[in-house]
Structures are given as C-alpha cells and as structure tokens.
Amino acid sequence: MMNSTRKGLALGLGGAALLLSGLVLAGGTEPMTATMPASLKATAALRDPAGQVRGEASFEQVGMGMRVTVTASGLTPGMHGMHVHDLGRCIPGVDPAVNKVVPFGGAGGHFDPGDSHNHDSPTAGNRYGHGGDLPMLKVGADGTGTATFTTDKVSLTGRGGVLNRSLMIHAEMDDYKSDPAGMSGARERCGVILRDNFTVRDYPLPGIQDFPEGVAYDAKKGVIYTGSAANGNIYAVNASTGATSLFSEGGAVGRSTALGLKVDVQGRLWVAGGATGAISVLSPDGAPVATLMTPPSPNPYINDLISTPGGSVYVTDSTRPVIWRVKDMKVERWLNLGGTPIKYGPGINLNGIVATPDGRYLLSIQLNTGDLWRIDTGTKAIKKVMGGLKNGDGLLLDGQTLYVARNADGVVSKVSLGADYGSGTLMMEEPLAGLRFPTTLAKVGADVVVTQGQLDKLQGGAPETPFKLTRFKTF
C-alpha cells in the first residue's frame, strides 16, 4: 500500500487537469517494443444495466501510449469515476467492496497489471496503483459525457493489455485514494473492449480448475490435446467441431500435473510432469505406456519435450541445469549445462524446446533471461541465437519462423530465424484478441493454437472461466 503522503500528492495532481483532451498519463509501465501490429484498435459498446447501448469507447495504440475516447449518455451531470476492470463480463456479479450482487459485478475488480493492490491516481505508476485507474468522465447538463486522453498505464498489447477486459463508468466522482474504487459508487455503464476487425476461434474447456499449460496436435486424428498444470487432466479436443472429452484423468500413474505435450510418429502422447520429475507416455487411446523418472535430485522441473527423427526425445528441466534424453524408453543425462554458455539462475530457466526438421539442432528458450539458444545434437555445441524474449515459454517452429508464447507479457512473438537457425530477429508481438498468460503453441493446418494458461492465477486470484485454447491464423 502507498502511504498517505504519496496518495495525497497523486490526488493533488489529479482533478480537472486530468480531463483535458489529449492528456498523456505516465503510468511507468515497462517499455513496449515497436514490433506490434499496425493499426491496433479496439472498441467497447457501453451498456446500461438494462442492456441498452448508451455510449461507446474507442482505443488506439499510438507508440507506447493508448489513446482513449469515451462518449456516454443518460448519466447525471458531474464527475464520474472511470476504470478498466479485470474481466470482460458486463453481467451481474458479486462486488467484493459491498459483498452483494450488483450490476456489472461480473467484470471483477480493477485491472492491476503491476500487482499494486491499491487504488490511486491516473498519474501513479502501476507499481503504486491499478493500471485500470483512469481519468474521470465529465458529464454535462444534458447527461452526456465525453473524454479523450492518452495513457501508458495500460495498452492494447503486452503486460498491460486491456483487450477483452471491461471499461466501467461509475455513478460518483473518484477520490483517487480510497480502496478499492475511489468511493465512486455504483457501476452504471460497462463495455467489453474488443479488438476491431480481428477474429479468433476459442476452444472452451470444461473444468473450473484446468489451467491448460501444454498443447499438441495429432494431424491423423484431427485432435488437439491439452493438459492441466493444476491436476494433470488431459483433454482431447476435436479441432473441427470443438467437442472435448477427457483423454486421461489426472493422477493416472502418479501424474499430478501436465506441462509440455508432444505427439510422436507413433501417435503416442508424451507429457512433461513438472516438479514430479516424471515423463509420461500415453498410447493413442489414452492408456499408460510408461512413466519414466529422471534421476532423483533436488527440485526437478520437467517442463517441455520434443521428439526427433532419430527416435530420441529431448527434455528440458527448468531448475536443474541439464537436458535429458529418452532413448529406447530410458532416461539419460544427455547434456550437463554446467560450464556452458547457458547459465541457470533463480526462477524458470530452459523451458520450451523444438527441433529442426532434420533433428540436427534443438532450439530452447530461457524464460528468466529471455535468451534463445541453439544446441547441436551431434556436437552438443551451444550458440545464443538472440535475447529480448523474456517470459518466453512454449515454442513453435514453422520453417524459418519461430513463434514464442510469452506468458506474463500476454503476447505471441514472431521471430525470423537465419538459414542455420543461429540468428533471429523479432518481427512482431501479437496480442491476438487478448491473451491470458499464453504458455504453449501447436500448429493445426495453416493455423496455430495457443493455450490461455492463466498460471499467474494458479496460486491465488480468480481465473477467467471457462479456460480456453485460442486458434488463430499465422501472421
């Protein structure tokens, strides 16, 4: 929480000045790269509690800032608090501030990308106040209010991305200091922020605690597999119809979590078991084939795996500096990373892994540093391909293009690789229609499917349900 002096200063910087058209609000968010989709725009139709459209808000990414224009009608004259709320649900729900069902309570609390847990001024950095704390809307005697401003507290892409969240207008003015909503009263207008002219397909999952982490595609069966980081359930999703069934129940043969998934040439599904240190193999009908244990040692974290044309399966361990290999259903310590350019540190280290079509090279992303590495499977030589991909999780290699799911940043990054896979250039960071902690990717025909894992909510917080996979055209 911020001290009262700091809050008083923020309030003093607020007030009428914040309502001036064209104001730029400095939020102190992490700088965004210039690699983002052109003409990134979104719109929210603002509805009253009866469901009638009573206004509109538009959003446009302008460099590192987001320009917002709001018009709303049918409100009482005066100042009205305005915020971005966490969930894209303009439906009734429980408001924790009053502990009762209220109009638009389903939108949850204020969007808080900086984890400040504090309500503050629109000029406060996101470390000190909610990113969703916006300027107030000034409503005239005719009941119509308009506002135009630019902010870098939130954006249409990256960690502060507002796509598929809600813009809320309240009944009262915002005091910019009282938690959780500045004493701004009832929720009177709500609109879900939807990207303009952009379409994705979602595959909803049935469980309320799924937290989908891994994804793999069996082209012969037309089935997408996804696994739960929370309970180890593995679902089979018909890629055409979206019909979903439980392929293998969590807990089977000790599988309490399912992270990276891959389908081999025999149609078997390989499953990385995280902190269990296990690698599970399932038959094409879901029956257990084998549970392979890595050697006992402190703090295992088997994260992702890839099969190669030679029949080997290479496995990343995010906490122990080693790459494992499974050959003839036996686990071996294939490459000890001690003394190599890959230096392990606190947090998640090597994570996603892919192989070139001929199996000569492996590519693996180090999440905590953002470094992408190339490993020669013949000589075991290691080369740094590039940096700048922090929070890189799952990988998908499509020719000379590498797609990187960057979980906490809420984007899929497109990297153009050199002919020998030894160099890379970041081409674009794509937020799709609003990603929630994307973890892994799989190619499905000409499209890509990404998990919306929400692992940031695994240890606490309210995840958005239903959990889902999202399918999109390659970019």
PDB file of all heavy atoms in Angstrom, residues 330-363:
ATOM      1  N   LYS A 330      14.472 -45.169 -22.089  1.00  0.00           N
ATOM      2  CA  LYS A 330      15.354 -44.981 -20.939  1.00  0.00           C
ATOM      3  C   LYS A 330      15.783 -43.514 -20.876  1.00  0.00           C
ATOM      4  O   LYS A 330      16.109 -42.914 -21.907  1.00  0.00           O
ATOM      5  CB  LYS A 330      16.575 -45.895 -21.029  1.00  0.00           C
ATOM      6  CG  LYS A 330      16.232 -47.383 -20.944  1.00  0.00           C
ATOM      7  CD  LYS A 330      17.488 -48.237 -21.026  1.00  0.00           C
ATOM      8  CE  LYS A 330      17.131 -49.721 -20.928  1.00  0.00           C
ATOM      9  NZ  LYS A 330      18.337 -50.591 -21.043  1.00  0.00           N
ATOM     10  N   VAL A 331      15.782 -42.944 -19.672  1.00  0.00           N
ATOM     11  CA  VAL A 331      16.160 -41.551 -19.481  1.00  0.00           C
ATOM     12  C   VAL A 331      17.646 -41.453 -19.205  1.00  0.00           C
ATOM     13  O   VAL A 331      18.183 -42.191 -18.358  1.00  0.00           O
ATOM     14  CB  VAL A 331      15.380 -40.923 -18.313  1.00  0.00           C
ATOM     15  CG1 VAL A 331      15.761 -39.453 -18.137  1.00  0.00           C
ATOM     16  CG2 VAL A 331      13.875 -41.048 -18.530  1.00  0.00           C
ATOM     17  N   GLU A 332      18.312 -40.553 -19.914  1.00  0.00           N
ATOM     18  CA  GLU A 332      19.732 -40.329 -19.667  1.00  0.00           C
ATOM     19  C   GLU A 332      20.012 -38.843 -19.566  1.00  0.00           C
ATOM     20  O   GLU A 332      19.302 -38.015 -20.127  1.00  0.00           O
ATOM     21  CB  GLU A 332      20.585 -40.948 -20.777  1.00  0.00           C
ATOM     22  CG  GLU A 332      20.344 -40.351 -22.149  1.00  0.00           C
ATOM     23  CD  GLU A 332      21.218 -40.970 -23.222  1.00  0.00           C
ATOM     24  OE1 GLU A 332      21.989 -41.888 -22.892  1.00  0.00           O
ATOM     25  OE2 GLU A 332      21.128 -40.539 -24.387  1.00  0.00           O
ATOM     26  N   ARG A 333      21.065 -38.523 -18.815  1.00  0.00           N
ATOM     27  CA  ARG A 333      21.524 -37.135 -18.703  1.00  0.00           C
ATOM     28  C   ARG A 333      22.335 -36.835 -19.963  1.00  0.00           C
ATOM     29  O   ARG A 333      23.531 -37.099 -20.024  1.00  0.00           O
ATOM     30  CB  ARG A 333      22.371 -36.984 -17.448  1.00  0.00           C
ATOM     31  CG  ARG A 333      22.757 -35.541 -17.118  1.00  0.00           C
ATOM     32  CD  ARG A 333      23.714 -35.494 -15.927  1.00  0.00           C
ATOM     33  NE  ARG A 333      23.085 -36.028 -14.740  1.00  0.00           N
ATOM     34  CZ  ARG A 333      22.464 -35.294 -13.827  1.00  0.00           C
ATOM     35  NH1 ARG A 333      22.411 -33.987 -13.971  1.00  0.00           N
ATOM     36  NH2 ARG A 333      21.923 -35.861 -12.774  1.00  0.00           N
ATOM     37  N   TRP A 334      21.656 -36.245 -20.959  1.00  0.00           N
ATOM     38  CA  TRP A 334      22.286 -36.074 -22.259  1.00  0.00           C
ATOM     39  C   TRP A 334      23.287 -34.936 -22.260  1.00  0.00           C
ATOM     40  O   TRP A 334      24.380 -35.061 -22.813  1.00  0.00           O
ATOM     41  CB  TRP A 334      21.207 -35.835 -23.318  1.00  0.00           C
ATOM     42  CG  TRP A 334      21.754 -35.610 -24.689  1.00  0.00           C
ATOM     43  CD1 TRP A 334      22.340 -36.531 -25.504  1.00  0.00           C
ATOM     44  CD2 TRP A 334      21.783 -34.373 -25.414  1.00  0.00           C
ATOM     45  NE1 TRP A 334      22.715 -35.959 -26.689  1.00  0.00           N
ATOM     46  CE2 TRP A 334      22.390 -34.632 -26.663  1.00  0.00           C
ATOM     47  CE3 TRP A 334      21.328 -33.084 -25.134  1.00  0.00           C
ATOM     48  CZ2 TRP A 334      22.565 -33.639 -27.619  1.00  0.00           C
ATOM     49  CZ3 TRP A 334      21.499 -32.099 -26.087  1.00  0.00           C
ATOM     50  CH2 TRP A 334      22.112 -32.374 -27.316  1.00  0.00           C
ATOM     51  N   LEU A 335      22.944 -33.787 -21.657  1.00  0.00           N
ATOM     52  CA  LEU A 335      23.835 -32.620 -21.692  1.00  0.00           C
ATOM     53  C   LEU A 335      23.799 -31.897 -20.356  1.00  0.00           C
ATOM     54  O   LEU A 335      22.770 -31.343 -19.965  1.00  0.00           O
ATOM     55  CB  LEU A 335      23.407 -31.663 -22.810  1.00  0.00           C
ATOM     56  CG  LEU A 335      24.214 -30.374 -22.964  1.00  0.00           C
ATOM     57  CD1 LEU A 335      25.693 -30.685 -23.174  1.00  0.00           C
ATOM     58  CD2 LEU A 335      23.671 -29.530 -24.112  1.00  0.00           C
ATOM     59  N   ASN A 336      24.927 -31.936 -19.664  1.00  0.00           N
ATOM     60  CA  ASN A 336      25.081 -31.149 -18.441  1.00  0.00           C
ATOM     61  C   ASN A 336      25.420 -29.720 -18.846  1.00  0.00           C
ATOM     62  O   ASN A 336      26.407 -29.480 -19.544  1.00  0.00           O
ATOM     63  CB  ASN A 336      26.189 -31.764 -17.575  1.00  0.00           C
ATOM     64  CG  ASN A 336      26.279 -31.112 -16.206  1.00  0.00           C
ATOM     65  OD1 ASN A 336      25.890 -29.966 -16.035  1.00  0.00           O
ATOM     66  ND2 ASN A 336      26.791 -31.843 -15.236  1.00  0.00           N
ATOM     67  N   LEU A 337      24.615 -28.770 -18.407  1.00  0.00           N
ATOM     68  CA  LEU A 337      24.786 -27.387 -18.847  1.00  0.00           C
ATOM     69  C   LEU A 337      25.804 -26.612 -18.025  1.00  0.00           C
ATOM     70  O   LEU A 337      26.088 -25.450 -18.333  1.00  0.00           O
ATOM     71  CB  LEU A 337      23.430 -26.675 -18.812  1.00  0.00           C
ATOM     72  CG  LEU A 337      22.380 -27.267 -19.767  1.00  0.00           C
ATOM     73  CD1 LEU A 337      21.023 -26.630 -19.530  1.00  0.00           C
ATOM     74  CD2 LEU A 337      22.806 -27.103 -21.217  1.00  0.00           C
ATOM     75  N   GLY A 338      26.341 -27.214 -16.973  1.00  0.00           N
ATOM     76  CA  GLY A 338      27.390 -26.560 -16.211  1.00  0.00           C
ATOM     77  C   GLY A 338      28.609 -26.298 -17.084  1.00  0.00           C
ATOM     78  O   GLY A 338      29.055 -27.178 -17.825  1.00  0.00           O
ATOM     79  N   GLY A 339      29.125 -25.092 -17.027  1.00  0.00           N
ATOM     80  CA  GLY A 339      30.289 -24.749 -17.834  1.00  0.00           C
ATOM     81  C   GLY A 339      29.967 -24.387 -19.271  1.00  0.00           C
ATOM     82  O   GLY A 339      30.869 -24.138 -20.069  1.00  0.00           O
ATOM     83  N   THR A 340      28.677 -24.334 -19.617  1.00  0.00           N
ATOM     84  CA  THR A 340      28.272 -23.937 -20.967  1.00  0.00           C
ATOM     85  C   THR A 340      27.799 -22.483 -20.940  1.00  0.00           C
ATOM     86  O   THR A 340      27.652 -21.886 -19.866  1.00  0.00           O
ATOM     87  CB  THR A 340      27.136 -24.834 -21.490  1.00  0.00           C
ATOM     88  OG1 THR A 340      25.909 -24.480 -20.825  1.00  0.00           O
ATOM     89  CG2 THR A 340      27.439 -26.304 -21.259  1.00  0.00           C
ATOM     90  N   PRO A 341      27.534 -21.894 -22.106  1.00  0.00           N
ATOM     91  CA  PRO A 341      27.025 -20.509 -22.104  1.00  0.00           C
ATOM     92  C   PRO A 341      25.665 -20.349 -21.440  1.00  0.00           C
ATOM     93  O   PRO A 341      25.280 -19.230 -21.087  1.00  0.00           O
ATOM     94  CB  PRO A 341      26.935 -20.174 -23.599  1.00  0.00           C
ATOM     95  CG  PRO A 341      27.899 -21.099 -24.272  1.00  0.00           C
ATOM     96  CD  PRO A 341      27.851 -22.355 -23.475  1.00  0.00           C
ATOM     97  N   ILE A 342      24.916 -21.428 -21.266  1.00  0.00           N
ATOM     98  CA  ILE A 342      23.600 -21.351 -20.628  1.00  0.00           C
ATOM     99  C   ILE A 342      23.792 -21.375 -19.118  1.00  0.00           C
ATOM    100  O   ILE A 342      24.174 -22.398 -18.544  1.00  0.00           O
ATOM    101  CB  ILE A 342      22.689 -22.501 -21.078  1.00  0.00           C
ATOM    102  CG1 ILE A 342      22.515 -22.475 -22.601  1.00  0.00           C
ATOM    103  CG2 ILE A 342      21.328 -22.407 -20.381  1.00  0.00           C
ATOM    104  CD1 ILE A 342      21.706 -23.634 -23.151  1.00  0.00           C
ATOM    105  N   LYS A 343      23.559 -20.253 -18.476  1.00  0.00           N
ATOM    106  CA  LYS A 343      23.759 -20.110 -17.034  1.00  0.00           C
ATOM    107  C   LYS A 343      22.410 -20.117 -16.325  1.00  0.00           C
ATOM    108  O   LYS A 343      21.562 -19.265 -16.594  1.00  0.00           O
ATOM    109  CB  LYS A 343      24.504 -18.806 -16.710  1.00  0.00           C
ATOM    110  CG  LYS A 343      25.793 -18.611 -17.487  1.00  0.00           C
ATOM    111  CD  LYS A 343      26.820 -19.690 -17.169  1.00  0.00           C
ATOM    112  CE  LYS A 343      28.119 -19.427 -17.928  1.00  0.00           C
ATOM    113  NZ  LYS A 343      29.097 -20.532 -17.740  1.00  0.00           N
ATOM    114  N   TYR A 344      22.208 -21.075 -15.439  1.00  0.00           N
ATOM    115  CA  TYR A 344      20.958 -21.149 -14.698  1.00  0.00           C
ATOM    116  C   TYR A 344      20.968 -20.167 -13.537  1.00  0.00           C
ATOM    117  O   TYR A 344      21.981 -19.964 -12.886  1.00  0.00           O
ATOM    118  CB  TYR A 344      20.723 -22.570 -14.180  1.00  0.00           C
ATOM    119  CG  TYR A 344      19.928 -23.434 -15.139  1.00  0.00           C
ATOM    120  CD1 TYR A 344      20.146 -23.364 -16.517  1.00  0.00           C
ATOM    121  CD2 TYR A 344      18.957 -24.311 -14.687  1.00  0.00           C
ATOM    122  CE1 TYR A 344      19.423 -24.143 -17.397  1.00  0.00           C
ATOM    123  CE2 TYR A 344      18.228 -25.103 -15.561  1.00  0.00           C
ATOM    124  CZ  TYR A 344      18.462 -25.013 -16.914  1.00  0.00           C
ATOM    125  OH  TYR A 344      17.731 -25.782 -17.784  1.00  0.00           O
ATOM    126  N   GLY A 345      19.793 -19.553 -13.290  1.00  0.00           N
ATOM    127  CA  GLY A 345      19.622 -18.635 -12.176  1.00  0.00           C
ATOM    128  C   GLY A 345      18.297 -18.890 -11.506  1.00  0.00           C
ATOM    129  O   GLY A 345      17.610 -19.875 -11.787  1.00  0.00           O
ATOM    130  N   PRO A 346      17.883 -17.997 -10.606  1.00  0.00           N
ATOM    131  CA  PRO A 346      16.594 -18.166  -9.934  1.00  0.00           C
ATOM    132  C   PRO A 346      15.439 -18.158 -10.929  1.00  0.00           C
ATOM    133  O   PRO A 346      15.493 -17.488 -11.956  1.00  0.00           O
ATOM    134  CB  PRO A 346      16.519 -16.949  -9.001  1.00  0.00           C
ATOM    135  CG  PRO A 346      17.935 -16.507  -8.825  1.00  0.00           C
ATOM    136  CD  PRO A 346      18.616 -16.809 -10.119  1.00  0.00           C
ATOM    137  N   GLY A 347      14.373 -18.874 -10.589  1.00  0.00           N
ATOM    138  CA  GLY A 347      13.188 -18.902 -11.427  1.00  0.00           C
ATOM    139  C   GLY A 347      13.224 -20.016 -12.445  1.00  0.00           C
ATOM    140  O   GLY A 347      13.929 -21.012 -12.297  1.00  0.00           O
ATOM    141  N   ILE A 348      12.450 -19.837 -13.508  1.00  0.00           N
ATOM    142  CA  ILE A 348      12.333 -20.822 -14.579  1.00  0.00           C
ATOM    143  C   ILE A 348      13.410 -20.549 -15.611  1.00  0.00           C
ATOM    144  O   ILE A 348      13.504 -19.457 -16.165  1.00  0.00           O
ATOM    145  CB  ILE A 348      10.939 -20.764 -15.229  1.00  0.00           C
ATOM    146  CG1 ILE A 348       9.857 -21.079 -14.194  1.00  0.00           C
ATOM    147  CG2 ILE A 348      10.853 -21.720 -16.403  1.00  0.00           C
ATOM    148  CD1 ILE A 348       9.913 -22.469 -13.630  1.00  0.00           C
ATOM    149  N   ASN A 349      14.215 -21.546 -15.908  1.00  0.00           N
ATOM    150  CA  ASN A 349      15.304 -21.418 -16.874  1.00  0.00           C
ATOM    151  C   ASN A 349      14.877 -21.982 -18.231  1.00  0.00           C
ATOM    152  O   ASN A 349      13.934 -21.478 -18.813  1.00  0.00           O
ATOM    153  CB  ASN A 349      16.549 -22.083 -16.311  1.00  0.00           C
ATOM    154  CG  ASN A 349      17.139 -21.310 -15.132  1.00  0.00           C
ATOM    155  OD1 ASN A 349      17.940 -20.406 -15.311  1.00  0.00           O
ATOM    156  ND2 ASN A 349      16.732 -21.651 -13.909  1.00  0.00           N
ATOM    157  N   LEU A 350      15.578 -22.997 -18.754  1.00  0.00           N
ATOM    158  CA  LEU A 350      15.151 -23.533 -20.043  1.00  0.00           C
ATOM    159  C   LEU A 350      13.719 -24.029 -19.947  1.00  0.00           C
ATOM    160  O   LEU A 350      13.332 -24.695 -18.990  1.00  0.00           O
ATOM    161  CB  LEU A 350      16.070 -24.671 -20.485  1.00  0.00           C
ATOM    162  CG  LEU A 350      17.463 -24.278 -20.982  1.00  0.00           C
ATOM    163  CD1 LEU A 350      18.148 -25.479 -21.609  1.00  0.00           C
ATOM    164  CD2 LEU A 350      17.435 -23.110 -21.968  1.00  0.00           C
ATOM    165  N   ASN A 351      12.945 -23.709 -20.970  1.00  0.00           N
ATOM    166  CA  ASN A 351      11.524 -24.005 -20.946  1.00  0.00           C
ATOM    167  C   ASN A 351      11.140 -24.687 -22.254  1.00  0.00           C
ATOM    168  O   ASN A 351      11.400 -25.853 -22.456  1.00  0.00           O
ATOM    169  CB  ASN A 351      10.749 -22.706 -20.709  1.00  0.00           C
ATOM    170  CG  ASN A 351       9.297 -22.931 -20.346  1.00  0.00           C
ATOM    171  OD1 ASN A 351       8.697 -23.932 -20.712  1.00  0.00           O
ATOM    172  ND2 ASN A 351       8.710 -21.988 -19.640  1.00  0.00           N
ATOM    173  N   GLY A 352      10.517 -23.956 -23.183  1.00  0.00           N
ATOM    174  CA  GLY A 352      10.082 -24.556 -24.433  1.00  0.00           C
ATOM    175  C   GLY A 352      11.249 -25.064 -25.261  1.00  0.00           C
ATOM    176  O   GLY A 352      12.345 -24.497 -25.245  1.00  0.00           O
ATOM    177  N   ILE A 353      10.998 -26.153 -26.018  1.00  0.00           N
ATOM    178  CA  ILE A 353      12.046 -26.744 -26.857  1.00  0.00           C
ATOM    179  C   ILE A 353      11.427 -27.257 -28.146  1.00  0.00           C
ATOM    180  O   ILE A 353      10.315 -27.796 -28.143  1.00  0.00           O
ATOM    181  CB  ILE A 353      12.785 -27.876 -26.105  1.00  0.00           C
ATOM    182  CG1 ILE A 353      14.009 -28.350 -26.894  1.00  0.00           C
ATOM    183  CG2 ILE A 353      11.851 -29.017 -25.750  1.00  0.00           C
ATOM    184  CD1 ILE A 353      14.919 -29.283 -26.101  1.00  0.00           C
ATOM    185  N   VAL A 354      12.120 -27.030 -29.264  1.00  0.00           N
ATOM    186  CA  VAL A 354      11.711 -27.549 -30.567  1.00  0.00           C
ATOM    187  C   VAL A 354      12.962 -28.092 -31.254  1.00  0.00           C
ATOM    188  O   VAL A 354      14.095 -27.817 -30.836  1.00  0.00           O
ATOM    189  CB  VAL A 354      11.056 -26.468 -31.449  1.00  0.00           C
ATOM    190  CG1 VAL A 354       9.714 -26.042 -30.868  1.00  0.00           C
ATOM    191  CG2 VAL A 354      11.975 -25.260 -31.625  1.00  0.00           C
ATOM    192  N   ALA A 355      12.752 -28.850 -32.327  1.00  0.00           N
ATOM    193  CA  ALA A 355      13.859 -29.403 -33.109  1.00  0.00           C
ATOM    194  C   ALA A 355      13.685 -29.022 -34.564  1.00  0.00           C
ATOM    195  O   ALA A 355      12.547 -28.898 -35.061  1.00  0.00           O
ATOM    196  CB  ALA A 355      13.904 -30.922 -32.966  1.00  0.00           C
ATOM    197  N   THR A 356      14.792 -28.830 -35.270  1.00  0.00           N
ATOM    198  CA  THR A 356      14.726 -28.599 -36.707  1.00  0.00           C
ATOM    199  C   THR A 356      14.254 -29.884 -37.385  1.00  0.00           C
ATOM    200  O   THR A 356      14.375 -30.975 -36.824  1.00  0.00           O
ATOM    201  CB  THR A 356      16.093 -28.162 -37.246  1.00  0.00           C
ATOM    202  OG1 THR A 356      17.081 -29.154 -36.908  1.00  0.00           O
ATOM    203  CG2 THR A 356      16.506 -26.830 -36.634  1.00  0.00           C
ATOM    204  N   PRO A 357      13.692 -29.781 -38.586  1.00  0.00           N
ATOM    205  CA  PRO A 357      13.112 -30.966 -39.229  1.00  0.00           C
ATOM    206  C   PRO A 357      14.072 -32.140 -39.382  1.00  0.00           C
ATOM    207  O   PRO A 357      13.642 -33.303 -39.301  1.00  0.00           O
ATOM    208  CB  PRO A 357      12.669 -30.427 -40.596  1.00  0.00           C
ATOM    209  CG  PRO A 357      12.394 -28.986 -40.361  1.00  0.00           C
ATOM    210  CD  PRO A 357      13.418 -28.550 -39.355  1.00  0.00           C
ATOM    211  N   ASP A 358      15.362 -31.859 -39.573  1.00  0.00           N
ATOM    212  CA  ASP A 358      16.330 -32.945 -39.710  1.00  0.00           C
ATOM    213  C   ASP A 358      16.888 -33.421 -38.375  1.00  0.00           C
ATOM    214  O   ASP A 358      17.693 -34.357 -38.329  1.00  0.00           O
ATOM    215  CB  ASP A 358      17.487 -32.525 -40.625  1.00  0.00           C
ATOM    216  CG  ASP A 358      18.255 -31.302 -40.114  1.00  0.00           C
ATOM    217  OD1 ASP A 358      17.922 -30.797 -39.007  1.00  0.00           O
ATOM    218  OD2 ASP A 358      19.174 -30.839 -40.821  1.00  0.00           O
ATOM    219  N   GLY A 359      16.466 -32.784 -37.284  1.00  0.00           N
ATOM    220  CA  GLY A 359      16.935 -33.196 -35.961  1.00  0.00           C
ATOM    221  C   GLY A 359      18.333 -32.748 -35.620  1.00  0.00           C
ATOM    222  O   GLY A 359      18.853 -33.091 -34.548  1.00  0.00           O
ATOM    223  N   ARG A 360      18.962 -31.931 -36.492  1.00  0.00           N
ATOM    224  CA  ARG A 360      20.342 -31.523 -36.222  1.00  0.00           C
ATOM    225  C   ARG A 360      20.425 -30.555 -35.052  1.00  0.00           C
ATOM    226  O   ARG A 360      21.363 -30.622 -34.250  1.00  0.00           O
ATOM    227  CB  ARG A 360      20.954 -30.893 -37.463  1.00  0.00           C
ATOM    228  CG  ARG A 360      22.383 -30.405 -37.214  1.00  0.00           C
ATOM    229  CD  ARG A 360      23.028 -29.807 -38.434  1.00  0.00           C
ATOM    230  NE  ARG A 360      24.363 -29.295 -38.119  1.00  0.00           N
ATOM    231  CZ  ARG A 360      25.145 -28.673 -38.996  1.00  0.00           C
ATOM    232  NH1 ARG A 360      24.746 -28.499 -40.253  1.00  0.00           N
ATOM    233  NH2 ARG A 360      26.335 -28.232 -38.620  1.00  0.00           N
ATOM    234  N   TYR A 361      19.461 -29.637 -34.965  1.00  0.00           N
ATOM    235  CA  TYR A 361      19.515 -28.614 -33.920  1.00  0.00           C
ATOM    236  C   TYR A 361      18.270 -28.668 -33.036  1.00  0.00           C
ATOM    237  O   TYR A 361      17.174 -28.991 -33.494  1.00  0.00           O
ATOM    238  CB  TYR A 361      19.598 -27.214 -34.526  1.00  0.00           C
ATOM    239  CG  TYR A 361      20.846 -26.928 -35.330  1.00  0.00           C
ATOM    240  CD1 TYR A 361      20.754 -26.592 -36.678  1.00  0.00           C
ATOM    241  CD2 TYR A 361      22.110 -26.976 -34.744  1.00  0.00           C
ATOM    242  CE1 TYR A 361      21.885 -26.306 -37.422  1.00  0.00           C
ATOM    243  CE2 TYR A 361      23.252 -26.700 -35.484  1.00  0.00           C
ATOM    244  CZ  TYR A 361      23.131 -26.362 -36.825  1.00  0.00           C
ATOM    245  OH  TYR A 361      24.257 -26.092 -37.560  1.00  0.00           O
ATOM    246  N   LEU A 362      18.487 -28.316 -31.782  1.00  0.00           N
ATOM    247  CA  LEU A 362      17.406 -28.000 -30.864  1.00  0.00           C
ATOM    248  C   LEU A 362      17.414 -26.504 -30.632  1.00  0.00           C
ATOM    249  O   LEU A 362      18.478 -25.876 -30.588  1.00  0.00           O
ATOM    250  CB  LEU A 362      17.599 -28.713 -29.522  1.00  0.00           C
ATOM    251  CG  LEU A 362      17.802 -30.226 -29.534  1.00  0.00           C
ATOM    252  CD1 LEU A 362      18.127 -30.714 -28.125  1.00  0.00           C
ATOM    253  CD2 LEU A 362      16.572 -30.930 -30.084  1.00  0.00           C
ATOM    254  N   LEU A 363      16.236 -25.920 -30.472  1.00  0.00           N
ATOM    255  CA  LEU A 363      16.104 -24.530 -30.048  1.00  0.00           C
ATOM    256  C   LEU A 363      15.349 -24.534 -28.727  1.00  0.00           C
ATOM    257  O   LEU A 363      14.307 -25.205 -28.599  1.00  0.00           O
ATOM    258  CB  LEU A 363      15.346 -23.707 -31.078  1.00  0.00           C
ATOM    259  CG  LEU A 363      16.001 -23.511 -32.450  1.00  0.00           C
ATOM    260  CD1 LEU A 363      15.021 -22.849 -33.410  1.00  0.00           C
ATOM    261  CD2 LEU A 363      17.275 -22.688 -32.334  1.00  0.00           C
TER     262      LEU A 363
END
